[in-house]
Amino acid sequence: MFKAILIDKQDNQQRTALETIDESRLPEGNVTVRVDCSTLNYKDALAITGKGPVVRQFPMVPGIDLAGTVEHSSSDDFAPGDAVLLNGWGVGEGHWGGLAEKARLDSRWLIPLPTAFTPRQAMAIGTAGYTAMLSVMALEKQGITPEQGDVLVTGANGGVGSYAIALLARLGYRVVASTGRPEEADYLHELGAAEVIDRGTLSAPGRPLGKERWAGAIDSVGSHTLANVLASTRYGGSVAACGLAQGMDLPASVAPFILRGVTLVGIDSVMRPGADRLEAWRRLGELLAPAQLDAITRTITLDEAIDAAEELLTGRIRGRVVVTMTEQ
């Protein structure tokens, strides 16, 4: 038996509760993991509250991230006792996920836990930090260097935004942070932001082209915000799009692309090949210090996760939330 958050649906009504579940109910997979820590991501909060169409089948255990120890394995890649990490692959959406004490998974979804991090530290990073690293790597691949000018980070108080700021600053970029919570400016400056702007300057419908302001950007917001980010990107600049907090639409013009040669790079972290994952986590190990992880992270227990999901969606949580399976 193990504890898990279970989402079920009957008569078109969703019910989410912390339950004790028999291990025989775990889905198919060739590796069984004792979960040490998971996280609470925006996608997890949507699934838990039912406020977004995240869950593809019921019942479902949410949690798109996990770190833990292999208990049983029929895979040649992992053996009992191995420390492992998972991000994405549809776990927590179509396959039972990490907000549980046990998980049964496909070995192809796992990578070894990087030696630079404890399970808690890896989950403090989670999909948010991993996505931020992929976004930074995309800007680097496009040739965006610190010498070319500012890099904008939208959704700056969120998990992806917080890590994007910390990583970019560590690499020497001058970071402009866009947030709807100006009272958190000190926090953003501590992460490394050189300038903080109000998200209201980007979130409303704008013009096809604006003043050239930044050489690159990492956007986790989408919709009008992403359109305005593109419109104010400098000639030859690049924007990494990795989220949709404002919406999935893109009410933009082709003007930034054909008049300024701006590049829009899509960042998928869910189905990313293993080699990219390993490289992103290697870079994270080089660039992030434990003190930074502590500054960005709040730790809760599994029985607190349902209430915390509501807090996250209403913007009352900054940075990352680690969910531990043991009492604090």
Side-chain angles (χ1 to χ4, degrees), residues 183-202:
E183 69 276 10
E184 297 284 5
D186 288 346
Y187 164 74
L188 298 174
H189 285 306
E190 288 171 8
L191 290 178
E195 182 181 348
V196 177
I197 63 174
D198 192 305
R199 73 180 179 196
T201 62
L202 297 170

Side-chain angles (χ1 to χ4, degrees), residues 237-283:
S238 296
V239 177
C242 60
L244 43 73
Q246 187 178 8
M248 291 185 66
D249 59 322
L250 181 56
S253 152
V254 297
F257 308 115
I258 64 174
L259 297 180
R260 290 183 180 162
V262 171
T263 300
L264 177 61
V265 184
I267 305 298
D268 166 59
S269 61
V270 177
M271 307 301 290
R272 201 76 173 205
D276 290 352
R277 293 170 182 267
L278 290 169
E279 176 61 11
W281 279 98
R282 184 190 69 79
R283 294 285 305 278

Side-chain angles (χ1 to χ4, degrees), residues 23 48 76 92 100 105 126 154 169 241 257 262 290 293 303 305-306 312:
E23 193 169 332
I48 288 169
D76 293 335
L105 306 156
T154 66
F257 308 115
V262 171
L293 302 182
D303 60 359
I306 294 174
L312 194 154

Side-chain angles (χ1 to χ4, degrees), residues 93-160:
E93 303 172 63
H95 186 100
W96 283 18
L99 286 170
E101 294 174 332
K102 295 282 183 78
R104 186 170 291 143
L105 306 156
D106 188 318
S107 60
R108 295 172 296 179
W109 303 340
L110 300 169
I111 64 171
L113 180 72
T115 56
F117 303 117
T118 65
R120 181 185 178 278
Q121 289 169 340
M123 288 297 94
I125 297 168
T127 285
Y130 153 63
T131 301
M133 190 71 252
L134 291 174
S135 300
V136 171
M137 290 164 58
L139 294 185
E140 291 176 330
K141 188 175 181 179
Q142 294 298 317
I144 305 302
T145 64
E147 294 74 28
Q148 291 177 321
D150 294 351
V151 174
L152 173 74
V153 175
T154 66
N157 279 103
V160 174

Side-chain angles (χ1 to χ4, degrees), residues 30 161 290:
N30 59 355

Side-chain angles (χ1 to χ4, degrees), residues 294-305:
D294 291 340
I296 291 172
T297 306
R298 165 186 170 188
T299 301
I300 63 173
T301 56
L302 187 60
D303 60 359
E304 297 174 295

